[in-house]
Amino acid sequence: MTRVCWVAVLLSGCVEPKSALEGEDLALRSGTPEAIAVLAMLRDPVVSFDVLDVDAGLDARAARGLIARRDGPDAVYGTPDDRPFESIEEVDAVPYVGPAALNQLADFAKAGGWLEEGPQVVEGVAFTPDQARATLELANTASLETLDVAVGLDSRAAAGIVERRPFADLVALGAVPYVGPSALIALRDHASAGAVSSDDALATLEANTPGLWFTSETDAPLVVVHLPGGAATPVTAADAAARLAALADPTLPALSGLAVEERTVASVFARYTEPQPWWEPFQLDEQPAWSAIRAVFEDDLADGRVFRFGEPTWDGTSVGGLIQVFVIGTSAEGDLVGVRTIAVET
């Protein structure tokens, strides 16, 4: 009874608790974390008529109907004739339980600790909490071109998502015409590959780049760059000059007139992130910041890669001279996010 008593204190008082879904003339959608929490709460033996009537504040008739349905003909919970609720539709079908009552139940379940961030299944597709948040962010913010080309959705599904968003939950997203299991998987996988939003990635980069110097024959700072909607498809060496031109330093030579080479994120950051016996104290002090930056491109953003623009070397296999370096990745919204700097290699 500890949980129920605590909830009773929390929800008691002069002011009626504000519904988390206030302003929406909707019942809970099946499959959402809130709906799952309501079902878990109604299956909990500590939840009685008094708990629903007094603590949750339901209409007494709704509370009585819910308990009577759950407990079965013998009115005792935990016996063979019990009928625990298996879906939110079954809850909604109880007399006097409508949208308002479902919202009260959702608030009560959340306050009482029944809302758990476990896997969510929509249209047979499983989402972790992080995947669910990233998928909704992608669906609510990505351009039509990103959804159609980069994610690879049916053009009708992409158009439907753009037309009907924003989505409050994955169930609403899954209800869009032509958005079925394969589309949800594509959205989930694309969002998970770049599960961090542009804002989160930029915040990490901006917090860690100040004071760091990219070393070569000269030292140069790291400049954080962002190109909204710039990642409709992954950037390649063939199109990097055109697509990264908007992120370049206008005081330096145009990228289109330079040779380009692609390198891995690890090859660029290893010398700053993997401590060596000969490191000086300042290098050890800076290592966490460099590691945080490296992680943005290797773990948080999709398609992390490095492009270096400069004069071609004699054998044409690399670039030299004054080199413009771009480290970029794709955010959950389909933006290009990264840093630029310069190196001198003669």
Side-chain angles (χ1 to χ4, degrees), residues 21-81:
L21 302 177
E22 184 175 349
E24 295 185 17
D25 188 19
L26 294 171
L28 293 177
R29 295 185 177 92
S30 293
T32 61
E34 292 78 11
I36 293 170
V38 168
L39 295 176
M41 181 267 294
L42 290 174
R43 296 190 193 104
D44 195 322
V46 304
V47 175
S48 63
F49 165 77
D50 288 338
V51 169
L52 295 181
D53 179 36
V54 178
D55 298 337
L58 291 187
D59 182 294
R61 295 167 295 183
R64 187 173 295 110
L66 289 167
I67 296 301
R69 150 63 202 257
R70 184 196 69 178
D71 292 355
D74 68 358
V76 178
Y77 193 40
T79 56
D81 69 346

Side-chain angles (χ1 to χ4, degrees), residues 243-300:
R243 295 177 62 181
L244 300 181
L247 303 178
D249 184 340
T251 66
L252 297 177
L255 302 182
S256 58
L258 301 172
V260 60
E261 67 173 6
E262 183 176 352
R263 292 191 179 179
T264 65
V265 172
S267 70
V268 170
F269 288 103
R271 59 191 173 120
Y272 302 107
T273 59
E274 300 172 11
Q276 302 298 325
W278 56 84
W279 272 20
E280 297 183 24
F282 83 90
Q283 291 172 296
L284 292 170
D285 291 340
E286 293 177 351
Q287 188 266 346
W290 282 108
S291 293
I293 296 169
R294 178 176 177 175
V296 168
F297 299 105
E298 291 189 328
D299 302 329
D300 298 338

